[in-house]
Amino acid sequence: MSASAITDLSRLCVHTATTKPWSLSIAAREYARAGIKGITVWRDALAALGPKESGNVCRAEGLEIVSLCRGGFFPHVDQAGKTAALDDNRRAIDEAAALGAPLIVLVCGAHPSLSLETSRKQIVEGIAEVLPYAHERGIKLGIEPLHPMYAGDRSAVNTLRQANDMCDALKSPYVGVALDVYHLWWDPELREQTLRCGKSGYLFAFHVCDWRTPTRDLLLDRAIMGDGCINIPEIRGWVEEAGFKGFNEVEIFSTEYWSGDQSPYLQKIVDAYRKHV
Ligand code: ZN
């Protein structure tokens, strides 16, 4: 199934990290002015106003708060590290509740001195540990599989199949998946696992940007949609075929774009959204 063309901005969400130089207040105002309808908030953007007031500012601009980024980083070599990670995830859940965000995206973590299997086991244990706390506060947790280039230190969850398997193991309506085209576009099982994800009720979020070739930095060189090699409309088609009706969230980390004027960059994102998502 191929996705029908996007004709309006009603499902466009932008992550505050995309326009990192802007404060939350400025980002909310500028997003609303550009016709964007949703906002995902990074935890560092909460510092100035605190989570409750940050939520009020977004809603006053007419923006729907889609998620809080991010929790996770569960694997550690010692108990002190694991305990600190669990505490930090509970704090993130409190922040999401105060902000009014229904979902926390999890960058699950990996530790270079642990095997990937051990890291994945600790991730499932960590999510299971904080899950009752999230459930009580009505906050969902979205496992975001990361590209395998991050398997050494950012996430031992690198395919959608692994994330779906974790959701199967955890069996909770409060645990699902954030599917990011940047991390998963290369996966030969992507269509099959996207359909499994949606039909199992796990598909909580959909993130878009593009993969620049050659990539100049492993973390901070994401491209605007249409400037890379990802067939985003095809993947969006699979996501919609899987029953997803949520926001298409733009998440771009780019030292290049952060160093320039954010207003024309945001307009470029909106134009690219209509053409290339
Ligand atoms: Zn993402």
Side-chain angles (χ1 to χ4, degrees):
M1 187 175 106
S2 64
S4 50
I6 286 179
T7 52
D8 64 64
L9 304 181
S10 61
R11 291 175 60 196
L12 172 56
C13 166
V14 175
H15 290 206
T16 60
T18 299
T19 54
K20 195 177 175 177
W22 278 344
S23 68
L24 181 77
S25 309
I26 294 174
R29 189 188 69 209
E30 295 301 316
Y31 293 1
R33 191 178 284 174
I36 294 159
K37 298 299 180 195
I39 187 167
T40 275
V41 180
W42 279 64
R43 288 178 77 188
D44 53 10
L46 297 174
L49 302 174
K52 196 163 193 290
E53 184 55 19
S54 295
N56 292 337
V57 163
C58 294
R59 282 182 291 272
E61 295 289 356
L63 296 169
E64 184 170 335
I65 300 171
V66 179
S67 66
L68 178 68
C69 275
R70 62 199 187 191
F73 289 99
F74 295 106
H76 287 276
V77 288
D78 55 17
Q79 192 51 49
K82 286 188 212 172
T83 302
L86 295 173
D87 288 346
D88 187 57
N89 278 278
R90 290 189 194 96
R91 268 196 301 279
I93 291 163
D94 288 338
E95 287 170 14
L99 175 68
L103 169 69
I104 295 176
V105 175
L106 300 178
V107 170
C108 291
H111 197 287
S113 53
L114 299 173
S115 72
L116 291 171
E117 290 74 16
T118 301
S119 284
R120 284 197 279 272
K121 184 167 171 284
Q122 291 191 12
I123 288 164
V124 173
E125 289 166 356
I127 295 172
E129 189 74 33
V130 298
L131 188 51
Y133 196 85
H135 190 159
E136 278 164 26
R137 285 151 189 81
I139 305 296
K140 293 182 174 183
L141 306 174
I143 298 168
E144 180 169 38
L146 259 53
H147 191 283
M149 67 181 171
Y150 302 120
D153 56 359
R154 289 185 174 265
S155 184
V157 186
N158 307 110
T159 66
L160 187 49
R161 178 190 283 273
Q162 287 167 344
N164 282 334
D165 287 349
M166 284 181 176
C167 293
D168 280 349
L170 287 157
K171 282 191 193 31
S172 162
Y174 284 86
V175 179
V177 173
L179 192 167
D180 188 327
V181 301
Y182 185 77
H183 296 299
L184 297 175
W185 67 277
W186 57 273
D187 185 346
E189 290 192 327
L190 187 54
R191 179 174 181 271
E192 173 197 335
Q193 291 297 324
T194 299
L195 295 182
R196 172 186 167 199
C197 188
K199 283 168 188 169
S200 306
Y202 302 153
L203 193 43
F204 288 176
F206 179 51
H207 298 175
V208 299
C209 68
D210 215 333
W211 182 279
R212 188 194 304 282
T213 46
T215 291
R216 300 165 297 188
D217 185 279
L218 295 189
L219 199 57
L220 302 177
D221 194 30
R222 295 192 186 197
I224 295 178
M225 302 77 74
D227 287 348
C229 61
I230 304 177
N231 188 338
I232 302 170
E234 181 175 57
I235 300 174
R236 180 171 64 84
W238 298 338
V239 161
E240 291 175 4
E241 188 182 352
F244 183 74
K245 293 187 169 56
F247 279 88
N248 303 309
E249 307 182 35
V250 176
E251 180 185 50
I252 299 169
F253 313 135
S254 165
T255 36
E256 180 183 334
Y257 287 115
W258 290 339
S259 69
D261 187 350
Q262 299 299 283
S263 296
Y265 162 48
L266 187 67
Q267 193 52 52
K268 241 183 188 174
I269 289 171
V270 172
D271 294 343
Y273 178 75
R274 291 182 190 276
K275 281 195 208 109
H276 302 292
V277 173

